[in-house]
Amino acid sequence: MLHHVDGERLWARLMAMARIGPVAGDGNCRLTLSDEDEAGRALLASWCTARGFALRRDAIGNLFFRREGRDPAAPPVLVGSHLDTQPTGGRFDGILGVLAGLEVLETLCDLGLETERPLDLCVWTNEEGSRFQPAMMGSGVACGILPFEQALAACDADGVRVADELSRHGYDTEPVPDIGPADCYIELHIEQGPILEASGKTIGVVTGGQGIRWYEIALTGEETHAGPVPMRLRKDPVPVLARLIDLVQEIGNRDPEARCTIGTVRALPGSINVVPGRVEMTVDLRHPDEAELNVMHDALIQGCGALAKRFPDIALEVAPRWHSPVVRFDATLAGQVKSCCERLGLATRDMVSGAGHDAFHLARRVPTVMIFVPCRDGISHNPREYASPEDATAGADVLLAMVLERAGACG
Ligand SMILES: [Zn+2]
């Protein structure tokens, strides 16, 4: 039998949540563990407790709202996402996965449907990584991937630590967070890209995530006056920067699935009439295939080596900073998402996530899958971010079907 969520209730909740920490142009600012983030969590908690879902908070601030199953000892089905946003974020990134999870739990209550397994609605702390780094912090700690102490010590730009904010909001400081055994984790999210919209499909069945490698590159020459020193006597790192930009673009353009981004470039001291003594930049490489990502890594390192030889006056340092391997979601779960969509009459396509998600961490501990719905013009991390009520509802319907599939409806 096909069940449907209450799309109007879901939409009303999305809009109610968006009234906390509003920014111009329909956006939201609920930075991790700020008063606004905490107010958003409190609003969710008020809806959950009104339905009798018990709340557990762990020591990194993750929230777990439980709807009991007939067998309370059975490993639960986990659904959820995050409520924090970028400084000028949208109303759907993360929030949809959380509020659709609540909608699923409530719909089961409305239908009087019991499940064999318990259901946990999860809210992960600091997915965005805007105020505190690294991103995907709460899920990383709870999955044993990010050391708890490292997360607690992370500071924002004003020197405020995660630990300070957690204690200010009254979170317990122990025990060390751990998700424990679970049947599976299912996360609904907006796509944050243009593919679903362009292909006219409602549901993206996410088979995995791109591998990501980050680098910091520094080019050191010598600062000098822009006037008196002839070109040939300068140790100017900027001409090397130009070749480096070409190198990175070439690596990205060789393969349609590759992504190469130079997100920051800084010339120091940064004065119009000073030849820079140093240039600092970052490189972000991504690919859905780990072997191909390694090829890109090698091309970057070798290309940098060749530039260092060609420009001996400039010291070129490449420091790898982060590596998130290619993620493969659970094939059985992905197959179940497809059959649920078929039953619901929703068109699907397989896709790989270009953005990082909490689900990447969960996938290393429990069978995991993500469900994408379209977002207008592929835009996110922007007040213009928008998912239609129809697509949000469709995504929540798939989540409901998946929960029933995995948790076992008892009638
Ligand atoms: Zn997100």
Side-chain angles (χ1 to χ4, degrees):
M1 168 151 182
L2 276 182
H3 297 293
H4 291 277
V5 301
D6 181 342
E8 278 176 31
R9 179 170 56 192
L10 171 59
W11 190 258
R13 294 229 158 113
L14 283 163
M15 296 307 111
M17 185 61 75
R19 285 195 283 275
I20 300 176
V23 298
D26 286 335
N28 271 139
C29 177
R30 287 193 305 273
L31 296 179
T32 297
L33 297 174
S34 63
D35 289 348
E36 292 77 17
D37 187 21
E38 200 52 28
R41 289 158 165 252
L43 179 61
L44 174 69
S46 72
W47 291 329
C48 288
T49 47
R51 276 294 183 141
F53 306 139
L55 169 61
R56 178 171 71 83
R57 312 198 306 177
D58 76 11
I60 193 66
N62 296 321
L63 310 180
F64 303 89
F65 297 94
R66 171 157 292 202
R67 181 174 191 260
E68 259 327 328
R70 188 171 284 181
D71 177 4
V77 170
L78 312 180
V79 297
S81 193
H82 61 96
L83 287 177
D84 66 319
T85 74
Q86 292 285 330
T88 52
R91 298 170 287 175
F92 302 91
D93 172 358
I95 298 107
L96 175 62
V98 172
L99 297 185
L102 168 62
E103 181 54 43
V104 166
L105 267 53
E106 291 206 273
T107 299
L108 293 174
C109 295
D110 295 343
L111 293 170
L113 276 178
E114 236 191 317
T115 55
E116 192 63 32
R117 295 181 182 283
L119 308 175
D120 279 344
L121 169 61
C122 314
V123 179
W124 307 110
T125 299
N126 187 27
E127 191 275 345
E128 294 289 359
S130 177
R131 182 181 179 195
F132 300 105
Q133 288 83 45
M136 302 179 266
M137 181 180 275
S139 56
V141 170
C143 292
I145 294 160
L146 177 69
F148 184 35
E149 293 304 320
Q150 184 187 332
L152 289 177
C155 284
D156 71 6
D158 299 322
V160 178
R161 295 175 311 151
V162 166
D164 302 331
E165 288 294 67
L166 285 169
S167 69
R168 184 169 75 88
H169 294 304
Y171 289 85
D172 291 335
T173 51
E174 50 190 18
V176 174
D178 189 278
I179 55 163
D183 171 68
C184 65
Y185 175 65
I186 311 167
E187 181 168 350
L188 172 68
H189 206 282
I190 57 168
E191 179 200 341
Q192 302 182 272
I195 295 170
L196 282 175
E197 189 177 56
S199 61
K201 310 276 170 134
T202 308
I203 300 292
V205 182
V206 189
T207 56
Q210 290 180 338
I212 308 170
R213 282 177 174 271
W214 283 357
Y215 308 83
E216 284 173 7
I217 301 184
L219 306 169
T220 310
E222 195 170 60
E223 275 169 45
T224 191
H225 196 296
V229 184
M231 299 299 279
R232 64 185 171 79
L233 296 181
R234 296 179 180 190
K235 292 181 181 169
D236 183 353
V238 170
V240 188
L241 169 67
R243 271 79 185 182
L244 202 48
I245 292 171
D246 281 343
L247 169 71
V248 171
Q249 295 304 308
E250 275 161 31
I251 295 170
N253 288 328
R254 268 179 224 164
D255 175 345
E257 297 205 278
R259 304 280 186 271
C260 292
T261 304
I262 296 172
T264 71
V265 177
R266 229 155 54 108
L268 299 166
S271 175
I272 192 166
N273 56 355
V274 177
V275 174
R278 187 174 163 91
V279 169
E280 295 172 351
M281 61 188 279
T282 57
V283 177
D284 174 313
L285 304 183
R286 300 185 188 219
H287 201 287
D289 183 303
E290 194 68 29
E292 292 301 325
L293 183 64
N294 290 336
V295 169
M296 293 163 69
H297 166 83
D298 292 344
L300 180 68
I301 300 299
Q302 283 161 18
C304 285
L307 283 174
K309 274 200 193 112
R310 195 170 143 202
F311 297 92
D313 287 345
I314 305 299
L316 196 162
E317 300 155 78
V318 190
R321 282 291 176 244
W322 187 51
H323 178 199
S324 171
V326 167
V327 176
R328 297 230 177 282
F329 289 147
D330 187 79
T332 305
L333 279 165
Q336 287 171 326
V337 171
K338 270 184 230 178
S339 22
C340 288
C341 290
E342 223 163 89
R343 289 204 299 274
L344 289 160
L346 297 167
T348 66
R349 63 166 287 157
D350 287 0
M351 47 200 318
V352 170
S353 174
H357 292 287
D358 294 308
F360 289 21
H361 287 322
L362 272 292
R364 286 165 68 174
R365 283 286 299 270
V366 297
T368 292
V369 75
M370 290 190 77
I371 302 162
F372 278 176
V373 291
C375 61
R376 190 167 62 197
D377 301 329
I379 286 177
S380 70
H381 288 187
N382 183 321
R384 285 176 54 213
E385 175 184 296
Y386 182 77
S388 73
E390 296 74 28
D391 289 343
T393 303
D397 275 341
V398 178
L399 193 62
L400 171 63
M402 282 299 288
V403 162
L404 286 169
E405 179 97 23
R406 297 294 300 203
C410 310

